[in-house]
Amino acid sequence: MAILTARRRFQRLALVAAVFLTAYLLLRRTSHIPPHEDRRRVKYVAASFDWAARRPTHPVDKATMTRMPPGIPRQLPRIQHEFTQDELGASHNQTQRARRDAVRHAAERSWRTYREHAWGRDEIAPLTLRGQDSFAGWGATAVDSLDSLWIMDMKDEFQHVVRHVATIDWDKPTSSLCSLFETTIRFLGGLLAAYDLSRDRVLLDKAVELGEMLYAGFDTPNHMPANSFNFRAAKEGRLAAGTNEASAAAASLSLEFTRLSQLTGDPKYYHAIDGVTRALDKTQDSTKLPGMWPVFVDLKNDFLTPGHGFSLGASADSAYEYLSKMHALLGGLDPVYEKLHTKAMATAKQHLLFRPMLPDSPAPAPAPAPDILFSGSVFASGTGEADLNPEVQHLACFAGGMFALGGRLFGDDGDVQTGERLARGCAWAYGAFPTGIMPEVSEVVACQTAGGEAGGGGGNLAACAWDEARWEQHGKHPKPFASVRDSSYLLRPEAIESIFVLYRITGKADLLDVAWQMFESIRKATETELAHSAIKDVQAAGETVKTDAMESFWIAETLKYFYLIFSEPELISLDDYVLNTEAHPFRVPKPGDGSLRADISRAM
């Protein structure tokens, strides 16, 4: 009997274990979160205000809510160059590893200084070593740098930030309002990308909390986003979209909100940004420069576009950047993004892009002027006239990567070449100044041609002869610069961003040397005792004057792009990820990708 009883006990224990094992496997199969994740390992503090429970003033009818386009993601064209073993030989890799390690060292010392002197604050002032809050005090540098820490294999520091993220209370800001745009690209984008890389559930939970809050920014009479996000007004449903809002602020929420819908299965985030997309589509051909949208738009009155100013620079930039990237993130299932992108790029080529008037290289090594382009700004009358201002904004240097990426996605080799000319233009501008860094805003003497080059699309893209007298009319800036309106460098990433994208797309090895020269120039000009700082004047011949500023994008973007260009091409492949305007990588759904199929199906 004793033997029989023991056997029955064993059978019962085995049955109980089988039940628990079956339940565990079922939960594992039905969840899109890997089972090893356990939120209990960190102290999780839920936000003290439940934005999900807030009753909207202008509710959306769930029956008519726009959902993500159905279907299996298309097989998109290959974006990255197929690197051969010869291209990635031993000596090549050894050089790039040394360069990558130098970048990592700069990131480590910058991060260490932030952690030791400004932990939990938005930014560190690298000279006075004071913490400061520019983005509501939730720790912008920490959250923005999360995926950089992961990518650079600083995993202990990554886990330290995760523990901090778990305790963020979005209802305890240091100011009465925040920018919907900045909070989305830095905080929400940072959390989503870090989740896509690590699959740590804490990050997604906090992203959902934040997403619920930011979604309230669309609770306006016409459901256009209110970029000036006043916390009290948002809680009370009193937000309204602006009448003179930056087009980038309105149209650069789509990647983050779409990825949040993909990961949670809640379509409301995608529905919110789809309204902006449809407004872009409706107005694209009726602006004063058809094909593009003015820098500032009237969102309050149903997306009016009366403005005369057009640019790929400040306040407009990422509105265009996100079009091709949304095409990729949606697996090519919504044709509107290809249409919006190709029309906008055609208009930009015709009116905004221009070739600078350049001298040939002098003896003893004479060479023809480089084949480069810049993107300026345009004042359009609406009657067919468009006056080009040949300004060069560092912010607009992202355009090289944008043209090249769109060219690959949409089968336009000419746009890839245009992208390369733009990327090399900004790299050339770096070398034109004593510090080896281009200024924030300058103006060059542009070529003036009547007919334009074959296939160029505009009258400002063809080469022209150097005219010394014409340049001298503007003063004695480096050739061919006519003026320098803002001579600072703010640790910005846009120039290296385009060089990185063009290297990954074309495989041209000389771009690695271009990137290294840029990094070395930036390192020398911005290095402080413990970190790196923005500088006052890139024209300084000797020691630079530091301005005691280090925004979160220094680690999140600039150093990340430098690190990636010197790393193996498989690390954050452009075929596997799209990077938001803050360089946060979101995983691209693909046919047969089991790790994402559950995410996508939940959003249908």
Side-chain angles (χ1 to χ4, degrees):
M1 289 294 294
I3 294 176
L4 181 60
T5 301
R7 182 177 298 170
R8 285 177 177 172
R9 287 176 180 170
F10 175 79
Q11 289 173 339
R12 288 172 182 170
L13 287 173
L15 179 60
V16 171
V19 168
F20 276 106
L21 179 60
T22 301
Y24 171 78
L25 292 174
L26 284 172
L27 285 171
R28 178 175 180 176
R29 176 170 297 192
T30 57
S31 175
H32 64 292
I33 310 298
H36 67 270
E37 297 174 7
D38 186 354
R39 202 172 81 177
R40 291 172 298 178
R41 63 186 171 77
V42 299
K43 178 184 177 182
Y44 190 92
V45 178
S48 52
F49 181 82
D50 186 359
W51 287 90
R54 185 191 70 92
R55 177 175 292 183
T57 302
H58 308 282
V60 176
D61 185 355
K62 291 186 178 181
T64 61
M65 185 174 286
T66 304
R67 299 173 186 273
M68 286 188 295
I72 301 299
R74 290 166 43 195
Q75 183 64 54
L76 300 176
R78 182 180 177 88
I79 297 171
Q80 283 208 165
H81 173 74
E82 295 191 55
F83 292 90
T84 66
Q85 288 303 313
D86 289 340
E87 290 173 315
L88 302 176
S91 61
H92 167 93
N93 285 339
Q94 184 176 1
T95 299
Q96 305 321 314
R97 278 195 294 269
R99 293 172 170 179
R100 179 198 64 194
D101 291 345
V103 176
R104 189 177 190 269
H105 176 68
E108 286 175 331
R109 61 194 303 274
S110 297
W111 174 259
R112 183 166 54 249
T113 301
Y114 167 75
R115 178 173 172 176
E116 292 177 359
H117 298 279
W119 177 247
R121 306 292 295 277
D122 283 334
E123 298 168 358
I124 174 73
L127 298 179
T128 56
L129 301 180
R130 294 178 294 104
Q132 49 196 24
D133 293 326
S134 306
F135 301 99
W138 296 311
T141 294
V143 180
D144 216 4
S145 301
L146 261 171
D147 51 8
S148 291
L149 297 175
W150 181 275
I151 289 166
M152 295 182 190
D153 200 27
M154 297 166 65
K155 297 299 196 307
D156 289 342
E157 297 294 345
F158 176 88
Q159 294 301 333
H160 182 74
V161 181
V162 170
R163 290 192 289 273
H164 165 74
V165 165
T167 66
I168 292 177
D169 187 344
W170 309 112
D171 199 43
K172 293 183 178 179
T174 56
S175 59
S176 61
L177 54 81
C178 69
S179 162
L180 183 68
F181 165 69
E182 295 287 0
T183 306
T184 297
I185 65 171
R186 299 186 194 228
F187 288 93
L188 182 58
L191 293 171
L192 292 173
Y195 171 73
D196 260 346
L197 293 171
S198 69
R199 309 303 277 182
D200 193 313
R201 177 60 184 262
V202 170
L203 301 170
L204 183 58
D205 287 344
K206 276 297 172 182
V208 171
E209 276 188 7
L210 179 58
E212 291 286 357
M213 184 187 86
L214 298 176
Y215 180 69
F218 290 83
D219 186 19
T220 63
N222 62 358
H223 298 294
M224 287 289 112
N227 187 51
S228 182
F229 191 96
N230 182 287
F231 298 105
R232 175 174 291 183
K235 290 177 181 178
E236 297 172 358
R238 295 186 289 104
L239 292 178
T243 58
N244 192 42
E245 189 59 76
S247 56
S252 303
L253 312 172
S254 51
L255 284 174
E256 296 82 2
F257 275 58
T258 297
R259 190 65 186 131
L260 188 57
S261 275
Q262 289 178 337
L263 291 171
T264 63
D266 192 335
K268 69 182 182 184
Y269 308 109
Y270 177 78
H271 170 82
I273 60 90
D274 188 66
V276 177
T277 300
R278 302 308 145 184
L280 292 172
D281 187 27
K282 180 180 178 181
T283 58
Q284 185 171 27
D285 296 330
S286 58
T287 69
K288 289 181 171 58
L289 191 67
M292 298 183 69
W293 303 271
V295 175
F296 295 98
V297 295
D298 182 349
L299 298 182
K300 186 176 182 179
N301 295 296
D302 295 326
F303 212 96
L304 297 180
T305 57
H308 295 268
F310 296 81
S311 171
L312 293 178
S315 299
D317 44 11
S318 48
Y320 299 97
E321 174 190 358
Y322 274 28
L323 299 176
S324 59
K325 292 182 176 182
M326 275 296 291
H327 176 86
L329 188 62
L330 290 173
L333 294 176
D334 189 342
V336 72
Y337 290 103
E338 179 177 359
K339 179 185 129 188
L340 295 174
H341 171 88
T342 53
K343 278 188 177 183
M345 295 306 100
T347 300
K349 282 188 291 184
Q350 184 176 358
H351 296 288
L352 271 71
L353 305 192
F354 66 93
R355 184 164 178 154
M357 183 181 74
L358 295 175
D360 293 339
S361 300
D371 182 14
I372 60 175
L373 296 175
F374 291 119
S375 177
S377 59
V378 158
F379 180 90
S381 65
T383 60
E385 296 180 2
D387 296 327
L388 173 69
N389 175 18
E391 69 175 2
V392 179
Q393 294 186 37
H394 195 290
L395 275 167
C397 284
F398 84 98
M402 174 180 64
F403 269 96
L405 181 65
R408 275 287 183 264
L409 280 172
F410 306 129
D412 190 334
D413 290 339
D415 273 7
V416 176
Q417 295 168 11
T418 296
E420 182 175 354
R421 295 168 73 188
L422 286 165
R424 291 185 183 272
C426 287
W428 179 90
Y430 263 62
F433 289 88
T435 54
I437 307 172
M438 70 181 290
E440 181 77 358
V441 184
S442 58
E443 187 174 315
V444 303
V445 181
C447 283
Q448 293 178 336
T449 56
E453 59 189 343
N460 299 303
L461 303 187
C464 62
W466 173 254
D467 186 337
E468 187 83 9
R470 185 169 165 235
W471 169 69
E472 288 180 346
Q473 294 174 3
H474 301 279
K476 293 295 183 180
H477 294 281
K479 296 179 180 179
F481 288 86
S483 68
V484 177
R485 299 212 307 270
D486 183 347
S487 61
S488 64
Y489 172 63
L490 307 180
L491 303 177
R492 288 202 185 277
E494 292 81 14
I496 182 56
E497 173 185 352
S498 281
I499 293 295
F500 159 73
V501 173
L502 263 298
Y503 170 67
R504 288 289 190 87
I505 286 177
T506 67
K508 294 184 178 180
D510 73 297
L511 292 171
L512 294 168
D513 297 331
V514 170
W516 179 245
Q517 182 59 55
M518 292 168 62
F519 174 75
E520 281 286 85
S521 297
I522 292 172
R523 182 188 62 77
K524 292 175 183 177
T526 68
E527 196 168 47
T528 67
E529 181 180 355
L530 297 176
H532 291 264
S533 172
I535 61 174
K536 184 176 182 180
D537 189 0
V538 300
Q539 301 177 96
E543 184 71 20
T544 56
V545 177
K546 313 297 192 297
T547 58
D548 201 21
M550 190 184 86
E551 275 207 49
S552 65
F553 56 60
W554 167 242
I555 300 175
E557 293 188 75
T558 309
L559 291 179
K560 183 188 296 169
Y561 281 124
F562 276 118
Y563 186 88
L564 286 174
I565 196 172
F566 301 130
S567 299
E568 297 79 5
E570 294 77 19
L571 184 61
I572 312 299
S573 165
L574 297 183
D575 291 303
D576 296 329
Y577 294 89
V578 293
L579 288 86
N580 84 337
T581 195
E582 198 75 4
H584 295 310
F586 303 154
R587 189 176 291 274
V588 175
K590 293 183 178 180
D593 188 344
S595 66
L596 292 171
R597 186 175 298 157
D599 299 336
I600 299 166
S601 66
R602 284 172 169 75
M604 297 304 178

